[in-house]
């Protein structure tokens, strides 16, 4: 009987993990949480505009909010080194700067590169006054789930929301602004995803009881 107990424990652990992994493609996170990450990340970038810093100081400020890949690109393309210290480029159009998204920015899952990512994006109306002008467009902050923590992994200054791509929605955003179960999976399919492992589990019970 000992081997049956071991087999049962292994099957139970596997089936429980499978059941919960099927309840949504993206880890649930509220839009308020994403807004907070982006706001704090933008504040750190503003601090970097004000002085010179060592590599260690820059990474200490940025690592809680940005992936290492983003930090390396940011330092290589948005900063320059002089005598062992880094400072921001003296331009109003430095790349990889977090855009000033308004409070009505929207959150969606996005397929950009590998891994689990979400995009917080906002609309920028056309600007034709003064020396600088641009057409209406969307800009997005791309966040990656890295070891269970969401961090900024990229900036897209010409983002196309899913609603403008003529594609079916693949992620439901709840009233609380959370990424949830893919919306293109009907209720029957979602229930099947949940009960199928349980059916298998009952079969295991029957086998153990023999």
């Amino acid at each position: 009987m000992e081997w049956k107990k071991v087999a049962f424990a292994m099957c139970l652990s596997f089936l429980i993990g499978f059941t919960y992994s099927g309840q949504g493609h993206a880890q649930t996170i509220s839009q308020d949480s994403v807004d907070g990450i982006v706001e704090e990340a933008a504040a750190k970038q503003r601090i970097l505009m004000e002085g010179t810093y060592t590599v260690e100081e820059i990474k200490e400020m940025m690592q809680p909010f940005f992936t290492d890949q983003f930090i390396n690109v940011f330092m290589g393309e948005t900063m320059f080194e002089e005598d062992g210290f880094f400072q921001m480029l003296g331009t109003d159009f430095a790349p990889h700067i977090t855009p000033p998204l308004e409070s009505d920015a929207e959150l969606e899952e996005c397929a950009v590169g590998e891994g689990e990512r979400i995009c917080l994006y906002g609309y920028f109306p056309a600007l034709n006054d003064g020396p600088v002008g641009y057409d209406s467009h969307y800009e997005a902050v791309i966040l990656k789930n890295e070891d269970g923590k969401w961090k900024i992994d990229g900036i897209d200054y010409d983002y196309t929301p899913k609603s403008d791509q003529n594609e079916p929605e693949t992620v439901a955003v709840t009233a609380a602004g959370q990424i949830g179960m893919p919306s293109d999976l009907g209720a029957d399919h979602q229930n099947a995803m949940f009960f199928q492992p349980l059916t298998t589990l009952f079969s295991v019970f029957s086998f153990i009881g023999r």
Side-chain angles (χ1 to χ4, degrees), residues 3-202:
W3 70 270
K4 289 186 177 182
K5 293 180 180 179
V6 173
F8 171 74
M10 294 176 64
C11 290
L12 181 62
S13 298
F14 171 78
L15 291 171
I16 290 175
F18 177 85
T19 300
Y20 282 100
S21 67
Q23 297 308 300
H25 178 69
Q27 176 180 328
T28 301
I29 182 171
S30 69
Q31 179 153 346
D32 287 343
S33 297
V34 175
D35 289 342
I37 294 170
V38 173
E39 288 175 6
E40 292 190 65
K44 295 300 182 183
Q45 287 186 323
R46 287 194 295 270
I47 292 174
L48 291 174
M49 296 178 184
E50 299 172 354
T52 59
Y53 302 89
T54 63
V55 173
E56 292 73 20
E57 290 172 333
I58 294 171
K59 289 186 176 182
E60 183 178 358
M61 279 192 282
M62 297 188 70
Q63 280 180 338
F65 310 103
F66 300 89
T67 63
D68 288 338
Q69 179 177 345
F70 182 94
I71 294 172
N72 291 335
V73 173
F74 178 83
M75 292 182 63
E77 299 182 5
T78 313
M79 308 187 79
F80 69 93
E81 180 185 6
E82 186 175 355
D83 298 328
F85 290 87
F86 286 81
Q87 65 183 81
M88 297 278 290
L89 298 172
T91 173
D92 293 333
F93 305 100
H96 313 297
I97 298 298
T98 304
L101 300 177
E102 300 293 339
S103 58
D104 60 351
E106 298 186 53
L107 181 66
E108 69 178 15
E109 186 184 29
C110 53
V112 181
E114 298 180 357
E116 188 178 14
R117 285 173 168 79
I118 53 177
C119 290
L120 183 69
Y121 67 94
Y123 178 74
F124 289 77
L127 177 64
N128 299 312
D129 297 333
V132 178
Y134 50 77
D135 295 332
S136 59
H137 64 287
Y138 291 93
E139 296 185 11
V141 178
I142 303 165
L143 297 94
K144 178 182 180 181
N145 190 344
E146 190 172 76
D147 298 325
K149 185 173 182 179
W150 291 98
K151 296 183 179 182
I152 294 175
D153 192 53
I155 307 293
D156 189 340
Y157 297 110
D158 191 19
Y159 183 71
T160 303
K162 284 187 175 181
S163 59
D164 290 354
Q165 295 177 2
N166 296 321
E167 296 180 355
E169 284 294 328
T170 57
V171 173
V173 179
T174 68
Q178 295 182 325
I179 295 293
M181 172 67 80
S183 60
D184 59 347
L185 298 181
D188 292 340
H189 186 77
Q190 294 179 26
N191 291 334
M193 290 172 63
F194 179 78
F195 285 110
Q196 183 176 1
L198 295 182
T199 302
T200 306
L201 183 59
F202 288 135

